[in-house]
Amino acid sequence: MESNVATTPEVLAQRLANSGLRATPQREIIYGVLLKKRDHPTADEVYARVRTDMPGISLATVYNCLETLVQCDLVRAVNFERGPTRYCPNLRPHAHFHDEQSGSTHDIDLPAEILDKVRSVLPPGYNAKSVEITFRGKAADEQKSSQP
Amino acid sequence: MESNVATTPEVLAQRLANSGLRATPQREIIYGVLLKKRDHPTADEVYARVRTDMPGISLATVYNCLETLVQCDLVRAVNFERGPTRYCPNLRPHAHFHDEQSGSTHDIDLPAEILDKVRSVLPPGYNAKSVEITFRGKAADEQKSSQP
DNA sequence: AGTGAGATTTAGAACAATTCCAATTATTGT
DNA sequence: ACAATAATTGGAATTGTTCTAAATCTCACT
Ligand SMILES: [Mn+2]
Ligand SMILES: [Mn+2]
Ligand SMILES: [Zn+2]
Ligand SMILES: [Zn+2]
């Protein structure tokens, strides 16, 4: 029973329409790139991947589309320190584990129970719209390089 | 029983010495500024405050000194989204509540019990050196402006 | 007190990521 | 088709930070 999880171009179009926006080829390809390899790419990395399918796309458009997807709640923008923003199409509540050695980022699912516990540290009067949890450290077996 | 909490110039000097560094006037004043008003100022804000005491200081030095204090574990660098880095001399384990309206940042103490619960979501093999928790939302009664 | 090595500060240039801008191109409804 | 609106584009501009190379300071030693 996955509510709220868009994984197809059709769903993308629907979500965009909800916000009065159009499903353009650029938006579809960029969203597809994010779904295909969920390694939290930067805008530059998305740009590089998209260009193999759509060589004429501009970096400005990549930024525009990513921003649009974030606005539609189809994608989360993720930041570590002051590094470039990374993009994540995982809509379930999750934390991020940032491996400092490899630079890779892993999603860590967050049970609602834990999220509630965390929210419980807030004194009365503090109304949190969002909670962000980030781990930094070393993850074991980085699976060699990345060729499957 | 506060271990690890430096609040005086002398302790600063000690900590710096531990790392083979000197206690310069610039470092002392900057650390003093952070201790005096714990509102998580940016480098620019620190620069402005320091200049009232030391008009000749340079912005590069402010950046250098802040970085040094972070290296010595006397100060934490705090980031929200892609905003400018903010600096926090609170060494206790704590989360940050970022009030989007006012732009202000509040420390939220984190009981060890909660921190452990949060760490417990990590699958085996994930070794977290640090955990960062950030709330975003609206805090009630922003105490009018700020004149006491 | 004077000297030299090394640390620190400084001003300004350089940089990286992102946003802005004005012009062009695409899509939509009539 | 046509006009209105939305989206894309290349390049300039902006922001926060880091780099660089020169000047200054500090400390240890004579
Ligand atoms: Mn990293
Ligand atoms: Mn803010
Ligand atoms: Zn993620
Ligand atoms: Zn803090």
Side-chain angles (χ1 to χ4, degrees):
Chain A
M1 190 188 302
E2 306 264 29
S3 78
N4 208 358
V5 179
T7 41
T8 65
E10 300 77 50
V11 182
L12 167 64
Q14 190 46 242
R15 282 290 195 104
L16 286 166
N18 285 352
S19 306
L21 300 170
R22 297 172 183 169
T24 65
Q26 288 87 345
R27 286 169 180 169
E28 284 172 358
I29 291 189
I30 286 174
Y31 186 51
V33 157
L34 291 180
L35 290 177
K36 179 156 176 204
K37 189 154 178 243
R38 293 155 164 265
D39 59 349
H40 303 82
T42 63
D44 269 342
E45 287 164 351
V46 171
Y47 182 42
R49 293 175 198 179
V50 169
R51 280 212 280 184
T52 67
D53 280 352
M54 187 181 263
I57 198 173
S58 82
L59 179 57
T61 298
V62 172
Y63 274 105
N64 290 341
C65 292
L66 288 171
E67 174 62 15
T68 297
L69 295 173
V70 169
Q71 298 305 62
C72 293
D73 285 313
L74 283 170
V75 168
R76 267 175 68 180
V78 177
N79 291 280
F80 301 120
E81 257 108 72
R82 301 220 81 245
T85 298
R86 300 175 166 277
Y87 296 89
C88 172
N90 178 356
L91 298 178
R92 293 184 317 250
H94 68 280
H96 288 110
F97 186 99
H98 183 74
D99 186 314
E100 296 178 290
Q101 239 82 72
S102 67
S104 65
T105 297
H106 304 264
D107 285 352
I108 308 286
D109 266 22
L110 281 180
E113 177 232 330
I114 294 277
L115 257 180
D116 288 347
K117 277 256 189 323
V118 168
R119 280 177 196 278
S120 78
V121 306
L122 286 173
Y126 285 82
N127 201 329
K129 261 208 276 291
S130 74
V131 187
E132 226 173 78
I133 301 180
T134 303
F135 299 95
R136 195 162 300 113
K138 177 83 191 68
D141 92 86
E142 196 51 68
Q143 223 79 357
K144 306 284 163 95
S145 234
S146 48
Q147 264 90 284
Chain B
M1 189 191 302
E2 307 265 28
S3 76
N4 208 359
V5 181
T7 42
T8 65
E10 301 78 48
V11 181
L12 167 63
Q14 190 47 242
R15 281 291 193 104
L16 287 167
N18 285 352
S19 307
L21 301 169
R22 296 171 183 168
T24 66
Q26 288 88 344
R27 287 170 180 168
E28 284 172 357
I29 290 188
I30 285 174
Y31 185 51
V33 158
L34 291 180
L35 289 177
K36 181 159 176 199
K37 191 154 177 243
R38 292 154 166 267
D39 59 349
H40 303 80
T42 63
D44 270 344
E45 287 163 352
V46 171
Y47 182 43
R49 293 175 198 181
V50 167
R51 280 213 280 187
T52 67
D53 280 352
M54 187 182 264
I57 198 172
S58 81
L59 179 57
T61 298
V62 172
Y63 274 104
N64 289 341
C65 293
L66 288 170
E67 173 63 14
T68 297
L69 294 173
V70 169
Q71 298 305 61
C72 292
D73 285 312
L74 284 167
V75 168
R76 265 175 70 179
V78 177
N79 291 279
F80 301 119
E81 256 108 73
R82 301 223 15 104
T85 298
R86 299 174 167 278
Y87 296 88
C88 171
N90 178 357
L91 298 179
R92 292 185 316 249
H94 68 281
H96 287 110
F97 187 99
H98 183 73
D99 186 315
E100 295 178 290
Q101 238 82 71
S102 68
S104 66
T105 298
H106 304 264
D107 285 352
I108 308 285
D109 267 21
L110 281 180
E113 178 232 328
I114 295 276
L115 257 179
D116 288 347
K117 276 257 188 324
V118 169
R119 282 178 196 276
S120 78
V121 305
L122 286 173
Y126 285 82
N127 202 330
K129 262 208 276 288
S130 74
V131 186
E132 227 173 78
I133 300 180
T134 302
F135 299 94
R136 195 162 299 111
K138 175 84 190 72
D141 90 89
E142 195 52 69
Q143 223 80 354
K144 308 284 161 102
S145 235
S146 48
Q147 264 88 286

